[in-house]
């Protein structure tokens, strides 16, 4: 390596090459510490995105959109589907007097005012973290999900009269209350710091499941309405995560210059803390996935049994056992779908927000 020739100071003394400390000076040759030249242009912090994670998020958004359509087609446009949905709807009359006391309180929380308050709060969190893009993505998630639900329910989708429900029943898919609760919870999951995300996912899944089950208890909606609402929120949540993944992230180069021995313990503590945080996120993601799959499977089995009864009888079952089985199966499916939705959002948000490894 060649260095630039010595230059002269105002006092006329020669000084060493630019960027190299004088011999004997702190950090210079002879003091026993490592030293190097200033970082070059290619060593400066780079900005990189995660296009692979963005592609995965968009694929999940498309799958969720397909799930919305499949819910409508299977449970609204077919006679058997309407009858299965109607059996769960009628089964909600059993035990309603006791459950409604709690369900009504849950539904009172979901209102235009509460949605607006959470939107402002989530935006404030994003701005406090100096993540300006997140504030926009929160508005996109909550606005997109709730507007989509209203358009699908009142403009795009129709409920044909197949002689199953009472005449003149209007389309109620997707559920507006469930969309509001899930979008609020997803927005908070999007903006909170990484160490808080697992708990935000757990609370969001619980609140959304409680809202979805409450609209069943109150006979405000059928099970397919709730599942479709969760899929709508997953569409917009995955789209928001795709934007997070595409946003350039700073990648710091390795430190150069004198070794900072005091920084080594701090780095070890930070690494250990990050490891514990990853462990908690993986545990919560796994818990939500397993619980969601088990509950969704139980719900699917119960609804499959109801569908068999419907095909055999040619009508909505009227026996108490059949109606309660359908109702409980629908509730299990709603809770399972909520857990799966937030497990996917938690995993996707974490992958989208991770700093890409520095090449070289």
């Amino acid at each position: 390596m060649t260095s630039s020739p010595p230059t002269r100071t105002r006092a006329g003394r020669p000084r060493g090459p630019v960027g190299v400390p004088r011999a004997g000076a702190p950090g210079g040759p002879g003091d026993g510490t490592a030293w190097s030249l200033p970082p070059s242009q290619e060593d400066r912090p780079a900005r990189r995105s995660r296009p692979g994670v963005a592609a995965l998020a968009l694929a999940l958004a498309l799958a969720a959109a397909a799930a919305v359509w499949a819910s409508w087609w299977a449970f609204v446009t077919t006679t058997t589907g309407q009858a299965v949905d109607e059996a769960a709807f009628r089964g909600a009359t059993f035990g309603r007097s006791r459950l409604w006391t709690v369900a009504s309180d849950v539904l009172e929380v979901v209102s235009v005012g509460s949605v607006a308050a959470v939107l402002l709060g989530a935006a404030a969190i994003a701005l406090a973290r100096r993540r300006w893009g997140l504030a926009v993505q929160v508005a996109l998630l909550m606005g997109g999900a709730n507007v989509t639900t209203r358009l699908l329910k009142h403009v795009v989708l129709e409920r044909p009269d197949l002689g199953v429900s009472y005449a003149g029943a209007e389309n109620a898919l997707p559920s507006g209350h469930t969309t509001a609760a899930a979008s609020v919870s997803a927005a908070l999951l999007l903006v909170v710091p990484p160490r808080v995300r697992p708990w935000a996912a757990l609370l969001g899944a619980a609140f959304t499941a409680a809202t979805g089950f409450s609209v069943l208890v109150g006979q405000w909606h059928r099970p397919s309405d709730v599942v479709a609402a969760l899929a709508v929120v997953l569409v917009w949540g995955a789209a928001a995560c795709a934007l997070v993944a595409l946003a350039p992230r700073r990648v710091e180069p390795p430190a150069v210059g004198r070794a900072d021995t005091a920084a080594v313990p701090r780095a070890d503590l930070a690494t250990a803390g990050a490891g514990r945080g990853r462990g908690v996120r993986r545990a919560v993601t796994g818990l939500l996935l397993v619980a969601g799959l088990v509950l969704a499977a139980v719900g699917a089995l119960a609804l499959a049994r109801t569908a068999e009864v419907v095909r055999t009888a040619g009508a909505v079952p009227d026996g108490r056992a059949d109606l309660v089985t359908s109702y409980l199966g629908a509730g299990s499916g709603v809770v399972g779908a909520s857990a799966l939705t937030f497990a996917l959002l938690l995993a996707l948000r974490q992958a989208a927000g991770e700093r890409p490894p520095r090449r070289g």
Side-chain angles (χ1 to χ4, degrees), residues 123-171:
I125 293 174
L127 295 177
R129 296 181 61 203
R130 298 184 179 180
R131 301 292 301 277
W132 323 114
L134 275 182
V136 176
Q137 291 152 19
V138 164
L140 177 68
L141 164 61
M142 296 185 65
N146 287 278
V147 170
T148 298
T149 287
R150 291 190 64 84
L151 288 176
L152 289 175
K153 182 189 298 187
H154 300 296
V155 178
V156 178
L157 303 179
E158 296 181 353
R159 182 180 182 86
D161 184 2
L162 302 178
V164 176
S165 306
Y166 61 88
E170 297 182 354
N171 176 61

Side-chain angles (χ1 to χ4, degrees), residues 13 15 57 121 130-131 139 141 158 171-172 206 225 230 235 248-249 269 286 291 313 316 319 360:
R13 299 178 182 176
R15 78 182 172 195
R130 298 184 179 180
R131 301 292 301 277
L141 164 61
E158 296 181 353
N171 176 61
D225 305 341
L230 292 170
V235 168
R249 303 297 304 276
L269 289 175
V316 178

Side-chain angles (χ1 to χ4, degrees), residues 45-339:
R47 289 185 172 272
R48 296 180 188 144
S49 59
R50 299 179 71 88
V53 176
L56 179 63
L58 292 177
L60 180 60
L62 290 176
V68 176
W69 178 86
S71 298
W72 172 76
W73 178 83
F75 291 99
V76 178
T77 67
T78 66
T79 303
T80 301
Q82 280 198 15
V84 170
D85 235 11
E86 186 69 17
F89 183 77
R90 296 179 185 179
T93 57
F94 298 102
R96 183 188 178 193
S97 58
R98 295 181 179 179
L99 293 175
W100 180 244
T101 303
V102 178
S104 60
D105 293 336
V106 173
L107 294 176
E108 285 181 0
V109 176
V110 184
S111 63
V112 175
S114 63
V115 171
V118 173
L119 174 59
L120 293 175
I125 293 174
L127 295 177
R129 296 181 61 203
R130 298 184 179 180
R131 301 292 301 277
W132 323 114
L134 275 182
V136 176
Q137 291 152 19
V138 164
L140 177 68
L141 164 61
M142 296 185 65
N146 287 278
V147 170
T148 298
T149 287
R150 291 190 64 84
L151 288 176
L152 289 175
K153 182 189 298 187
H154 300 296
V155 178
V156 178
L157 303 179
E158 296 181 353
R159 182 180 182 86
D161 184 2
L162 302 178
V164 176
S165 306
Y166 61 88
E170 297 182 354
N171 176 61
L173 183 148
S175 163
H177 276 73
T178 306
T179 300
S183 62
V184 161
S185 303
L188 290 177
L189 173 62
L190 193 69
V191 301
V192 295
R195 64 180 179 275
V196 186
R197 284 177 199 151
W199 316 118
L202 282 174
L203 292 175
F207 176 58
T208 302
T211 304
F213 191 74
S214 294
V215 297
L216 296 184
V217 171
Q219 292 185 307
W220 290 11
H221 283 283
R222 298 172 178 83
S224 61
D225 305 341
V226 177
V227 173
L230 292 170
V232 168
V233 174
L234 186 55
V235 168
W236 288 97
C241 289
L243 293 178
V244 173
L246 290 175
R249 303 297 304 276
R250 290 178 65 88
V251 182
E252 297 294 339
V256 296
R258 290 191 64 185
D260 185 0
T261 56
V264 174
R266 290 196 298 268
D268 291 342
L269 289 175
T271 301
R276 286 193 296 270
R278 283 193 295 270
V280 171
R281 286 191 291 272
R282 289 171 181 169
V284 171
T285 303
L287 174 65
L288 289 172
L289 277 175
V290 171
L293 289 172
V294 170
L295 291 171
V298 171
L301 289 174
L303 295 181
R305 181 184 179 280
T306 303
E308 183 179 354
V309 173
V310 167
R311 284 190 291 266
T312 301
V316 178
D318 55 4
R320 179 188 179 95
D322 293 330
L323 293 178
V324 170
T325 298
S326 181
Y327 174 48
L328 295 179
S332 177
V334 163
V335 176
S338 178

